């Protein structure tokens, strides 16, 4: 263990803030990696593309076995994101996505409808951050009957100090001391679920499996067929993949490590700049990682116990400003890990290719407009699915639509109809009236910075309109 002054100061800061010892041990492990100059890069010459994973639509799953597996499955949702890239300062999952229903409301509906249809108990457990917990639990309180006796509705992601790039010491930021802290990436889920006691609680309540996904991905509904496949596989861990298209070039992918044949995850931050052409080639790496995971909880507990909560996931170095809104504030390093990287820890871990309907992430207001539109329907099982053959492409000018405040001001009556659209590209400042219909390929363009308005009831039919 390093005795660097920066590490000692960080450890003391974490103890004084009440961070649990397991999280301090994990942070110390990665500090040592950082101090030793680890970059976290995974070079193309060390891996082979994964080209032949199992496809869900090609496997036979016994219906009774599927029901039995789902009855032993817990639903875990990563809910620590604040949506800062969209100008938010509260849980992204509290955003309205269908009428007045938020992401969390839709997720609760999915769980409750699956319970009613299958008889499975399906506990819902959130991994919150210290900034999302109170609001999210208050939102869940509006759904009576959701919580199961003896099981909590959440556990809290750990926090760690941001480190100054120059010197690797904990940053101090008196204008807002909260900004001195960051979450350790969603790879912290393993440390947090163990240290919180939630892993033991699920096992004691008779749950053997977990379906894990992001709360902004409304496609990851409870699925008995995948649960049955996973249980029958005997694998300790599985990842859901989708076939890549040209629109998926930024997403992480699985690969086979040449040294030992082990499946591993490689993300953007782990790819050298001069090798990004390999990473973004959807034919070279034909499947992307959805961040929908399946765990065998017994095998997860054994691995965490054996390793003292330090799974040893690959390091991700993230360089940012201590105040993300102030580009003049000091540069800091955030030590992060990816939840999906745990695939390399478990011998026998596997992956399965699922339909694109299980991957509906919302990372930008482009994504949100699409999900709020009539191009998607909320179906009887609570799933949000495409109402058209292919989702239209939406590109909104980030100068005017990046934040939720800007976005909502320009769509005061909700999303236009996109059911008949191929694509909607908006350049410049345009405000949409109510009952606007987009058909075909539509481009709205104004390079002069003026405000433009689309009148109520307008049909935009395959037009290029200049302000």
């Amino acid at each position: 263990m390093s005795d660097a002054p920066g590490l000692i100061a960080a450890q003391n800061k974490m103890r004084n803030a009440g961070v649990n010892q397991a999280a301090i041990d994990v942070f110390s492990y990665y500090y040592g990696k950082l101090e030793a100059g680890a970059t976290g890069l995974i070079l193309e010459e060390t891996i082979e593309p994964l080209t032949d994973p199992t496809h869900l639509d090609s496997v036979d799953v016994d219906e009774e076995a599927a029901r039995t597996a789902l009855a032993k499955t817990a639903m875990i949702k990563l809910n620590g994101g604040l949506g800062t890239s969209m100008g938010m300062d509260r849980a992204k999952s509290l955003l309205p996505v269908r009428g007045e229903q938020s992401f969390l409301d839709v997720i609760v509906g999915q769980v409750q409808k699956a319970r009613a249809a299958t008889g499975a108990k399906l506990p819902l457990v959130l991994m919150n951050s210290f900034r999302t917990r109170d609001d999210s639990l208050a939102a869940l309180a509006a759904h009576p009957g959701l919580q199961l006796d003896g099981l909590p509705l959440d556990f809290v992601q750990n926090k760690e100090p941001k480190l100054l790039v120059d010197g690797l010491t904990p940053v101090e930021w008196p204008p807002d001391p909260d900004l001195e802290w960051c979450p350790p990436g969603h790879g912290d889920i393993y440390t947090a679920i163990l240290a919180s006691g939630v892993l033991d609680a699920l096992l004691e309540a008779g749950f053997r499996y977990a379906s894990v996904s992001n709360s902004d991905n409304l496609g990851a509904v409870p699925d008995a067929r995948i649960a049955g496949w996973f249980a029958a596989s005997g694998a300790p861990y599985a990842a859901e993949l989708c076939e890549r298209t040209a629109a998926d070039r930024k997403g992480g992918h699985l690969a086979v490590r040449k040294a030992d044949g082990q499946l591993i995850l490689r993300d953007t931050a782990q790819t050298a700049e001069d090798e990004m052409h390999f990473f973004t080639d959807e034919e070279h790496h034909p499947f992307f990682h959805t961040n929908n995971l399946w765990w065998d909880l017994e095998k997860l507990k054994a691995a965490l116990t054996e390793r003292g909560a330090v799974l040893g996931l690959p390091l991700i170095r993230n360089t940012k400003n201590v105040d993300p809104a102030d580009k003049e504030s000091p540069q800091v390093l955030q030590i992060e890990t990816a939840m999906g990287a745990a695939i390399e820890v478990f011998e026998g871990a596997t992956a399965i290719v699922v339909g694109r309907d299980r991957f509906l992430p919302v990372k930008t207001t482009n994504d949100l407009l699409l999900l709020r539109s009539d191009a998607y329907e909320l179906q009887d099982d609570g799933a949000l699915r495409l109402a058209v053959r292919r989702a239209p492409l939406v590109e909104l000018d980030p100068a005017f639509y990046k934040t939720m405040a800007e976005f909502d001001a320009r769509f005061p009556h909700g999303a236009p109809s996109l059911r008949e659209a191929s694509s909607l590209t908006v350049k410049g400042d345009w405000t949409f009236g109510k009952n606007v219909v987009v058909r075909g390929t539509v481009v709205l363009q104004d390079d002069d910075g003026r405000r433009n308005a689309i009148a109520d009831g307008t049909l935009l039919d395959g037009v290029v309109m200049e302000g």
Side-chain angles (χ1 to χ4, degrees), residues 41-49 253 255-261 264 266 270-272 274-279 284-285:
L41 295 180
I42 299 172
L43 299 181
E44 190 71 24
E45 65 182 15
T46 68
I47 58 176
E48 295 278 1
H253 64 84
V256 181
R257 188 165 53 204
K258 290 180 179 179
D260 56 5
I264 65 169
R266 181 170 69 166
Q270 295 167 299
T271 306
D274 62 352
E275 294 193 343
M276 282 301 295
H277 60 289
F278 290 117
F279 183 89
H284 184 63
H285 291 289

Side-chain angles (χ1 to χ4, degrees), residues 302-312 344-346:
L304 286 166
T305 302
E306 177 187 347
R307 295 165 181 255
V310 182
L311 284 181
E344 71 177 66
V345 172
F346 295 97

Side-chain angles (χ1 to χ4, degrees), residues 21 32 110 120 134 185 213 223 251 272 303 343 357 360 386-387 398 401 444 455-456:
Q21 187 59 46
Q110 292 172 350
D134 292 345
S213 57
D223 192 299
I343 196 164
D357 59 345
L360 295 176
L386 267 177
Y401 299 89
L444 304 179
D456 295 351

